[in-house]
Amino acid sequence: MTKLLNLVIILLAAALIAVILLPQIEENRPRVVRFACDSTVAGLPLIVGVEQGMFADNRVIPELHFYSDPDQALADLFAGEYDVGIFPWTTAIRHVAEGGETLRVFMSGEFRATLPVDAIIVPAASKIKDIPGLQRRKLGYPPQLRHCIKPFLLQTGLPVELVTTTELSLSELLPQLAAGEIDAAWLLEPLICELDTVAFRVLESGALPRHVSAPFPGAAVGFSTEYMNDNKVLLSRLKLATDAASAFADAQQDSARNLMARYLPGMGQTFGACRLPDYQRLVEINKPSIRTLAARLAVAGAIAEDFDTDRMFVPPARMTR
């Protein structure tokens, strides 16, 4: 009888230990996170976080998936194909404005006018001398700038009917410009730092902050509301990892460029000249600039109506344990 009682006590103790410890073990185990990553320098915090081990240090197993179309990638995130992503702010804003789900943002990348990461390029021998010279010309742009075209034309005073705009993939822009299929190309880094200055010249640097909105909110890092609610344990890990990656990139820009050169085409020999966006942590995000961008998009007809962008941000308390 005593042996049976001891056995029961041992089994009950083991069960109690399991009840206490198993949830903690489950909570602390590494988790796979599928990241949708932009194919420009906007991917900075994810690439640095992977290469410098910030995600691994915070028990996140990262899977990077580079996309070519940000609108489709954002739709895929809400469909459950990705967990977290970096998207153009214009894409995220338009998705909400058109009645779609809200990207819950916890980090933002700003394109500074002093260190522009975009430029409009023309062939070296082109007769186009300034922005007004784009009238009756073909302007190519990448999918990342899809929703910037209308505010750009409005702010520059270029008649929509007199400028032919053509969306091309990042890899197609310079070959199409060289072949004469388009007359100008709106580029993002790292395509600018690798530019052949014998064949091409910069018509205008920093067109985004100059003509669309300044300072220009370039990239939003976030996840769906559903993901935020279902993965509470992961939120602080994501914040710690991306904050560390941003701090590293800010303090050691050359090293950050070198890391990005392993992923982005065109950053081989010329990565040292590549300009990087300024990434802001959740409490540092320039929210007024994002509200201004949404208003500019609405005025230009790029989105149906303006709305309060503040609801897109993750409450800071949700990103801490």
Side-chain angles (χ1 to χ4, degrees):
M1 184 67 180
T2 302
K3 290 182 179 180
L4 179 61
L5 181 60
N6 289 338
L7 179 60
V8 170
I9 291 172
I10 291 171
L11 291 174
L12 289 173
L16 180 61
I17 291 171
V19 168
I20 294 172
L21 292 182
L22 285 179
Q24 295 181 7
I25 293 171
E26 176 65 17
E27 180 176 322
N28 288 306
R29 70 177 176 84
R31 302 282 187 90
V32 173
V33 177
R34 300 163 299 168
F35 291 100
C37 190
D38 193 281
S39 301
T40 71
V41 289
L44 174 70
L46 299 188
I47 292 173
V48 170
V50 169
E51 287 296 310
Q52 285 298 110
M54 281 88 171
F55 288 116
D57 291 344
N58 287 282
R59 304 186 306 284
V60 171
I61 303 171
E63 292 182 359
L64 283 186
H65 301 269
F66 288 88
Y67 62 76
S68 57
D69 187 323
D71 289 55
Q72 183 59 54
L74 184 59
D76 291 342
L77 179 139
F78 289 120
E81 293 188 29
Y82 306 123
D83 302 313
V84 182
I86 291 182
F87 305 98
W89 261 111
T90 51
T91 294
I93 289 172
R94 186 178 184 277
H95 193 83
V96 176
E98 299 300 319
E101 301 94 329
T102 300
L103 183 72
R104 305 307 297 268
V105 178
F106 65 92
M107 179 171 274
S108 179
E110 193 167 88
F111 295 175
R112 296 164 288 186
T114 52
L115 290 171
V117 300
D118 77 288
I120 297 176
I121 308 299
V122 296
S126 173
K127 295 181 179 179
I128 303 173
K129 303 300 181 186
D130 51 25
I131 293 299
L134 292 174
Q135 291 191 48
R136 295 183 174 83
R137 304 284 187 166
K138 292 181 181 179
L139 172 65
Y141 63 90
Q144 285 82 352
L145 300 180
R146 177 180 296 150
H147 307 303
C148 296
I149 292 297
K150 286 184 177 180
F152 169 76
L153 295 176
L154 178 66
Q155 292 296 321
T156 56
L158 289 168
V160 175
E161 67 276 9
L162 294 183
V163 180
T164 301
T165 55
T166 303
E167 184 174 305
L168 298 166
S169 68
L170 288 164
S171 61
E172 292 175 315
L173 284 163
L174 286 174
Q176 291 280 316
L177 185 59
E181 296 297 323
I182 55 176
D183 302 299
W186 198 350
L187 307 182
L188 292 165
E189 291 284 21
L191 292 179
I192 303 165
C193 66
E194 72 163 349
L195 196 67
D196 180 352
T197 54
V198 175
F200 307 105
R201 61 180 170 84
V202 175
L203 180 68
E204 183 161 281
S205 183
L208 287 170
R210 182 171 296 183
H211 300 297
V212 179
S213 194
F216 185 79
V221 187
F223 36 64
S224 68
T225 300
E226 181 181 5
Y227 188 83
M228 179 177 69
N229 293 333
D230 292 347
N231 295 275
K232 297 177 182 179
V233 68
L234 271 175
L235 303 188
S236 61
R237 300 185 199 178
L238 289 169
K239 182 180 185 302
L240 289 170
T242 52
D243 283 359
S246 176
F248 175 90
D250 189 52
Q252 303 187 48
Q253 292 201 3
D254 284 343
S255 296
R257 293 185 185 98
N258 204 5
L259 294 174
M260 295 187 72
R262 303 175 187 178
Y263 290 82
L264 302 182
M267 289 186 69
Q269 299 297 320
T270 54
F271 72 87
C274 187
R275 292 169 173 171
L276 303 177
D278 175 32
Y279 265 94
Q280 302 161 345
R281 298 176 299 173
L282 181 57
V283 296
E284 302 167 338
I285 293 175
N286 186 349
K287 294 182 180 180
S289 71
I290 294 158
R291 288 194 291 269
T292 299
L293 175 61
R296 293 279 182 88
L297 293 174
V299 169
I303 62 176
E305 60 181 15
D306 193 6
F307 68 95
D308 182 10
T309 54
D310 284 359
R311 65 183 167 124
M312 299 180 69
F313 299 103
V314 179
R318 299 293 298 269
M319 300 300 291
T320 59
R321 297 191 62 175

